[in-house]
Amino acid sequence: PICSLCVVTETDIWAGTDSFMYLIDNSTKECQSSWRAHVGFINSIICVGDTIWSCGDKKIVVWKKQVSLVKKITELHGHTARIHCLALIDSFGQKHVWSGSFDTTILIWNPNTYKCMQAITDHRDSVRSIVDAKSGYVLSGGRDSSFI
């Protein structure tokens, strides 16, 4: 099953399934490339500048399309359980990637250095969703029925 989608350009769609990533031509809907990207379901895919970030297991993988090839740029580690969601958050002109995990934490990543800048530990159960509220606030929802 398709677990996550990201429209990157008018011509490129990225899809994540049970461990595989697919690069799909948007005009023909044909698969251009596929590869094993994670162990288990790929829960989220986001576009960050000219890179694509995916998550599913305990890591985030950063990808870059180079002509017709897809190259892994790096893997980001910091969560101790499966990562459920990614969000690109613009805060005061600075963009950061936020990741939410079944380990109850939210990690904030610098998309230029790929370093974790901060950990938020306010949830009591898994973090299932993160969204930019566009008002200077970021909302996160968890399995503990709370949003922060």
Side-chain angles (χ1 to χ4, degrees):
I2 294 177
C3 303
S4 52
L5 290 167
C6 182
V7 178
V8 178
T9 65
E10 289 184 16
T11 58
D12 291 342
I13 297 173
W14 291 57
T17 63
D18 53 349
S19 77
F20 283 86
M21 294 274 288
Y22 296 88
L23 177 58
I24 301 165
D25 183 295
N26 195 16
S27 59
T28 65
K29 305 301 186 260
E30 291 183 12
C31 180
Q32 296 175 330
S33 182
S34 66
W35 62 98
R36 186 178 176 103
H38 291 272
V39 176
F41 292 104
I42 299 169
N43 294 322
S44 186
I45 304 171
I46 62 171
C47 181
V48 181
D50 63 349
T51 60
I52 306 300
W53 295 44
S54 64
C55 70
D57 40 25
K58 297 178 187 178
K59 68 181 181 257
I60 298 167
V61 181
V62 182
W63 309 92
K64 187 169 185 176
K65 180 182 174 191
Q66 297 177 330
V67 189
S68 60
L69 299 173
V70 176
K71 179 181 177 186
K72 182 193 297 187
I73 303 299
T74 191
E75 291 184 0
L76 309 180
H77 299 271
H79 286 290
T80 59
R82 292 183 54 76
I83 303 167
H84 190 75
C85 55
L86 295 171
L88 180 61
I89 305 296
D90 190 348
S91 178
F92 305 107
Q94 297 277 338
K95 292 184 188 260
H96 297 100
V97 175
W98 292 44
S99 58
S101 171
F102 284 81
D103 66 9
T104 76
T105 66
I106 296 170
L107 298 182
I108 302 174
W109 303 89
N110 181 315
N112 299 312
T113 64
Y114 307 117
K115 301 290 183 199
C116 181
M117 301 170 45
Q118 183 178 350
I120 299 171
T121 58
D122 293 339
H123 283 280
R124 295 181 313 277
D125 205 338
S126 61
V127 179
R128 304 305 283 259
S129 183
I130 301 170
V131 64
D132 188 343
K134 305 292 184 198
S135 58
Y137 293 97
V138 175
L139 298 175
S140 62
R143 192 166 188 268
D144 55 7
S145 298
S146 69
F147 71 92
I148 299 170

